[in-house]
Amino acid sequence: MTIFEQPLVKAVGAKAAKRLAALDLETAGDLLRHYPRRYAQRGELTDLDSLAEGEYVTVLAEVEKIQGRKISKRPGYLLEVTVTDGRGLLTLTFFGKGAYIPERELPPGTHGLFAGKVSFFGSGRHLKRQLVHPEYKPLAGGDLTGAAREFAEELIPVYPAAKGVTSWQIADCVRILLDAADLGDDALPEHVRRRHRLIGLSEAYQGIHRPRDMAEAGRARKRLKWDEAFVLQTALARRRRAAAELAATPRPPAAGGLLAAFDARLPFDLTEGQRAVGDEIAADLARTHPMHRLLQGDVGAGKTVVGLRAMLQVVDAGGQAALLAPTEVLAQQHHRSIVAMLGPLAQAGQLGGAEHATRVALLTGSQGAKARRAGLLDAASGSAGIVVGTHALLQEHVQFADLGLVVIDEQHRFGVEQRDALREKATGGRPHVLVMTATPIPRTVAMTVYGDLDTSALTQLPAGRSPIATHVVPSGNRAYWDRAWERIREEAAKGRQAYVVCPRIGDEEPSSSSSSPDDVPEDGPEDDGARRPPLAVLDVAPKLTEGPLHGLRLDVLHGRMHPDEKDAVMRRFAAGELDVLVATTVIEVGVDVPNATVMVVMDADRFGVSQLHQLRGRVGRGRHAGLCLLVTDAVEESKARERLDAVASTLDGFELSRIDLEQRREGDVLGESQSGRRSSLRLLTLLRDEEIIKEARAEATTLVEADPELRDHPALAAELATLVDEERAEYLEKA
Ligand code: ADP
Ligand code: MG
């Protein structure tokens, strides 16, 4: 066992270990990787005016004034210590007998560390910040001893702390570990270290926890970022290699089959990109190893046709294909539109069915028993060449006669493990896998999150697309607001349709976590829970019917409606029997109604950037120009407003995904498997560390090619085993 796996009880003692448990730190490795948030320079005091209410903070400040007095009420004694950073003030409040101790220990002039939760009292110019019963540590002036001296000499690491465990207690425990322990063998091979000028392992941990200067901390960070990138890339390189060695049934293109018949009846020409990617996929499918390909393409790029053509090639070769969508609405829509596009080609065994015809089955989580049985039977018997579904397809009792290809649409909601689960469904070799993602992602994310896949991209939109204009509408401005509804009426008068999107359903959910995953808006980054609840579909719809949209045909769509009901509403909207659809983000992905031209997003600041881009992609899909109005009460120059302005300023999905990434925590980006509390990425940021990720990927690939089993790299193999265990543990927790 290396020091990293040692339980903290053993490494730092039971009492300290118990405190550290408050931060979810269980092993010495957890603690060593609990990195300082920043470093305080001695003499450089914390900016007290920047402290936000409710935040748990550790500040370095000087005692300015101290005032103790007896009070008549219990607990009888009140001590107020005022500390300063030279400008702002912070009040430390202690009550009761215990207050005599800080009174003695914190005479004016003392520099100290103070930790606690910030509360505000008073208001306006008299607003004061205070910490009630803070933990503190005086840092004496001239005659320093022991720990205080070390603080005087070094940068002071400021750790993410919590109630019951202060930053300096964490620092003390880390010191015990670093002084006592040999960190074991370095997982980063020496030739890699040398080539990229990286410092050694113990030096790195010393340097990040107890740097003498910022340059040392910087070298340590670089080295530890490398560790994160390298271990992950090695894992991905091994995945790619393992996949390349699996056997798959080749599904080569056949002349004169379904695919050819389909191409002949397509009402449009494929774009150059669709053709090129199609050729790539066709070649992949003909190989004896499974395809693992990611298809990227902006909203409306025409990915569905590409996926469908791949499926038809597999059906022509005698296999089956499954298409997986993240929501019921989307699965139903795919089913509907594939059946429509195939026409007689999807009517096997029916009157009017074409010669090579197949069947397209639908399987969703909550369809009726009869429909479900029929779908299951068609999948198992092989009479359905194409099976469309939601996650329900992953359930174990779904059997295929000969699953040859899995197409996963709108990938960002599927984790690596789910992909794996579906692959297990194939009998006699692994199926080929095509992942289609709607959100364009920056290269670094592709290399990390989808690092086990080959990638293709559709970079142009089909010709004849109409532009989409996007405007931010301040909800406080009555004139703008009225104009928004007027625009919907104008479009409806011309026979076109509109979406109104709200962040919430509004049927008195006991807690938002119980709402359907179809509806959940990704939280805006600064969501603080203290604001008014976001606007809800079920409140907004009747107000519109009675008010500004009176007389228009309007209905609602959200994730907690019965699936049949959802399907019925979507059909009516698609058929033009509704003018306005008031919906949650259930329409975010892939919904395709070319006649819809206007979208009004209510409380637009409650959505993420990429999500808004996705939503907006629902309009402007036909001959007519699209209009997207982002309604918000976010004030100008706020972060939220900046995000909306960014969305309004460009239609480039790649650009927006960069902006999105800048504003999110990495865990959110990495999704399922890497987002847990023990996320393997702590220092590495996907956006800023592109160079490291690229270099680490190249090194890892070379190393795995030369030594696939990592026989010459036992320390690296051990790191990898931990990473895989953690991923699995998190997956099980979620399952
Ligand atoms: P996305 O990439 O967002 O999934 P879709 O596959 O839903 O996009 O395609 C959007 C629309 O564009 C669909 O109505 C589809 O039929 C149409 N389409 C796809 N390819 C072409 C093309 N080459 N020319 C014209 N229209 C196309
Ligand atoms: Mg799509």
Side-chain angles (χ1 to χ4, degrees):
M1 184 161 70
T2 71
I3 175 76
F4 284 89
E5 287 149 42
Q6 199 174 81
L8 279 170
V9 180
K10 187 137 173 268
V12 297
K15 205 171 138 205
K18 203 171 151 206
R19 287 176 189 276
L20 293 168
L23 289 162
D24 273 337
L25 305 176
E26 281 158 20
T27 63
D30 292 346
L31 179 58
L32 287 172
R33 287 174 181 152
H34 186 72
Y35 301 124
R37 197 198 302 280
R38 62 191 170 84
Y39 305 94
Q41 212 114 25
R42 205 180 149 74
E44 194 180 273
L45 305 176
T46 311
D47 177 6
L48 296 176
D49 285 336
S50 69
L51 303 181
E53 187 164 18
E55 206 182 354
Y56 189 92
V57 297
T58 304
V59 302
L60 184 56
E62 179 179 342
V63 177
E64 181 171 278
K65 179 170 87 178
I66 181 158
Q67 194 175 43
R69 60 191 153 91
K70 291 207 159 47
I71 49 175
S72 53
K73 279 180 299 190
R74 292 208 319 151
Y77 193 71
L78 171 70
L79 173 71
E80 283 188 342
V81 179
T82 308
V83 300
T84 177
D85 58 5
R87 289 180 307 132
L89 301 175
L90 174 71
T91 306
L92 317 177
T93 313
F94 301 87
F95 298 102
K97 276 220 199 62
Y100 291 110
I101 303 170
E103 182 157 27
R104 207 168 50 235
E105 292 183 342
L106 296 172
T110 310
H111 279 211
L113 287 166
F114 306 94
K117 195 166 160 185
V118 181
S119 55
F120 284 8
F121 67 99
S123 63
R125 281 198 317 124
H126 301 287
L127 181 77
K128 285 187 175 174
R129 291 176 165 77
Q130 76 169 349
L131 305 179
V132 178
H133 277 296
E135 305 266 0
Y136 62 89
K137 181 184 186 82
L139 304 173
D143 52 340
L144 293 173
T145 53
R149 171 187 295 279
E150 298 204 35
F151 273 129
E153 289 164 354
E154 297 171 23
L155 293 170
I156 303 173
V158 180
Y159 289 95
K163 193 167 159 50
V165 50
T166 62
S167 178
W168 54 90
Q169 285 163 344
I170 296 169
D172 287 345
C173 292
V174 170
R175 179 180 306 115
I176 294 171
L177 284 183
L178 288 177
D179 288 350
D182 170 10
L183 298 184
D185 290 338
D186 198 334
L188 208 56
E190 205 194 319
H191 68 271
V192 175
R193 280 201 318 266
R194 228 169 324 120
R195 191 152 42 225
H196 300 278
R197 298 166 190 278
L198 302 170
I199 61 176
L201 189 66
S202 347
E203 220 183 318
Y205 279 101
Q206 283 285 348
I208 196 146
H209 288 290
R210 313 179 60 199
R212 277 173 300 250
D213 53 42
M214 289 310 283
E216 187 178 352
R219 285 191 295 276
R221 280 179 74 84
K222 179 175 170 199
R223 148 74 212 224
L224 293 168
K225 280 181 179 184
W226 251 90
D227 283 5
E228 294 177 2
F230 188 70
V231 172
L232 189 61
Q233 291 300 339
T234 305
L236 292 167
R238 293 192 68 200
R239 243 175 192 286
R240 283 197 303 275
R241 202 190 146 86
E245 281 175 358
L246 294 171
T249 310
R251 316 278 179 177
L258 264 178
L259 177 55
F262 173 77
D263 281 348
R265 45 175 282 138
L266 253 187
F268 46 72
D269 292 328
L270 294 174
T271 63
E272 234 168 85
Q274 283 171 322
R275 217 174 275 287
V277 173
D279 290 347
E280 252 173 344
I281 294 172
D284 282 357
L285 292 174
R287 296 207 175 92
T288 52
H289 299 293
M291 166 175 80
H292 295 272
R293 186 170 288 280
L294 172 73
L295 172 57
Q296 286 205 67
D298 210 340
V299 181
K303 295 181 289 292
T304 315
V305 170
V306 174
L308 180 55
R309 293 185 69 249
M311 295 195 276
L312 293 174
Q313 176 175 331
V314 169
V315 176
D316 278 338
Q320 290 170 288
L323 172 60
L324 234 66
T327 66
E328 298 236 347
V329 168
L330 196 52
Q332 283 158 348
Q333 179 188 283
H334 271 317
H335 180 252
R336 217 169 23 242
S337 69
I338 287 175
V339 167
M341 278 195 270
L342 289 176
L345 302 176
Q347 295 169 1
Q350 281 172 258
L351 208 61
E355 189 189 347
H356 308 280
T358 185
R359 289 238 284 269
V360 184
L362 176 67
L363 276 178
T364 62
S366 44
Q367 68 192 153
K370 200 171 146 221
R372 187 166 175 73
R373 242 191 334 267
L376 286 171
L377 197 66
D378 280 350
S381 68
S383 65
I386 295 175
V387 180
V388 181
T390 55
H391 300 80
L393 268 192
L394 294 175
Q395 283 168 12
E396 268 164 39
H397 53 269
V398 181
Q399 299 291 332
F400 292 87
D402 181 13
L403 182 59
L405 169 66
V406 177
V407 179
I408 303 178
D409 192 20
E410 319 294 357
Q411 155 69 22
H412 60 293
R413 300 202 181 173
F414 285 104
V416 169
E417 305 83 356
Q418 288 167 313
R419 266 185 252 155
D420 285 350
L422 206 83
R423 280 180 206 155
E424 308 287 339
K425 293 265 169 230
T427 47
R430 297 304 184 99
H432 301 280
V433 177
L434 176 65
V435 174
M436 308 197 292
T437 163
T439 324
I441 46 180
R443 264 174 55 79
T444 46
V445 182
M447 282 191 287
T448 311
V449 187
Y450 306 108
D452 57 336
L453 306 173
D454 298 320
T455 58
S456 323
L458 291 177
T459 48
Q460 58 185 158
L461 297 184
R465 276 301 149 77
S466 308
I468 306 173
T470 309
H471 301 287
V472 178
V473 178
S475 60
N477 187 322
R478 194 58 213 226
Y480 279 117
W481 177 255
D482 288 343
R483 182 74 189 120
W485 305 121
E486 208 177 295
R487 287 290 289 125
I488 290 188
R489 301 193 69 99
E490 286 168 14
E491 289 296 305
K494 288 186 244 168
R496 310 209 184 109
Q497 293 159 284
Y499 299 100
V500 177
V501 181
C502 302
R504 195 163 63 94
I505 302 177
D507 53 354
E508 294 341 312
E509 303 120 74
S511 81
S512 59
S513 63
S514 71
S515 69
S516 154
D518 288 7
D519 306 297
V520 180
E522 298 162 11
D523 275 338
E526 68 272 18
D527 202 7
D528 57 15
R531 296 185 288 171
R532 74 166 160 76
L535 291 172
V537 167
L538 298 180
D539 298 332
V540 168
K543 286 204 184 105
L544 292 176
T545 320
E546 285 153 29
L549 300 185
H550 185 73
L552 297 188
R553 296 165 302 169
L554 179 150
D555 212 334
V556 301
L557 185 72
H558 60 76
R560 267 215 300 279
M561 284 161 57
H562 188 278
D564 291 346
E565 220 181 326
K566 269 194 274 192
D567 194 34
V569 170
M570 265 326 287
R571 275 174 197 277
R572 279 164 59 219
F573 190 69
E577 291 162 22
L578 291 171
D579 301 308
V580 181
L581 192 60
V582 184
T584 56
T585 52
V586 65
I587 60 153
E588 170 190 347
V589 279
V591 168
D592 186 25
V593 178
N595 192 47
T597 49
V598 189
M599 171 172 289
V600 178
V601 185
M602 311 297 288
D603 278 341
D605 51 291
R606 310 276 178 137
F607 299 93
V609 167
S610 291
Q611 203 173 19
L612 288 170
H613 182 58
Q614 280 296 309
L615 282 167
R616 169 171 65 183
R618 303 307 113 216
V619 296
R621 296 173 81 85
R623 275 174 299 128
H624 309 291
L627 174 68
C628 175
L629 301 174
L630 306 174
V631 181
T632 178
D633 58 11
V635 292
E636 234 158 305
E637 283 171 27
S638 63
K639 273 261 175 285
R641 184 60 186 271
E642 271 172 30
R643 288 204 325 268
L644 298 182
D645 289 338
V647 175
S649 72
T650 179
L651 286 171
D652 180 342
F654 279 95
E655 172 63 23
L656 289 172
S657 72
R658 264 192 93 81
I659 295 173
D660 206 17
L661 187 54
E662 265 166 30
Q663 304 201 338
R664 278 156 179 283
R665 291 180 324 239
E666 302 290 314
D668 296 341
V669 179
L670 291 173
E672 297 274 332
S673 61
Q674 277 103 343
S675 70
R677 63 197 154 100
R678 268 171 231 285
S679 162
S680 55
L681 301 192
R682 287 154 209 246
L683 296 172
L684 197 70
T685 59
L686 295 178
L687 215 50
R688 279 179 292 277
D689 296 319
E690 180 161 356
E691 212 46 42
I692 293 180
I693 293 172
K694 271 204 312 233
E695 289 172 359
R697 183 176 172 88
E699 291 286 2
T701 308
T702 315
L703 185 140
V704 168
E705 266 159 28
D707 179 14
E709 300 307 319
L710 305 180
R711 275 188 238 285
D712 297 335
H713 303 279
L716 179 59
E719 284 276 319
L720 234 57
T722 328
L723 181 76
V724 171
D725 279 353
E726 282 170 6
E727 279 194 5
R728 187 160 304 141
E730 271 161 29
Y731 179 51
L732 291 177
E733 263 169 43
K734 290 212 170 73

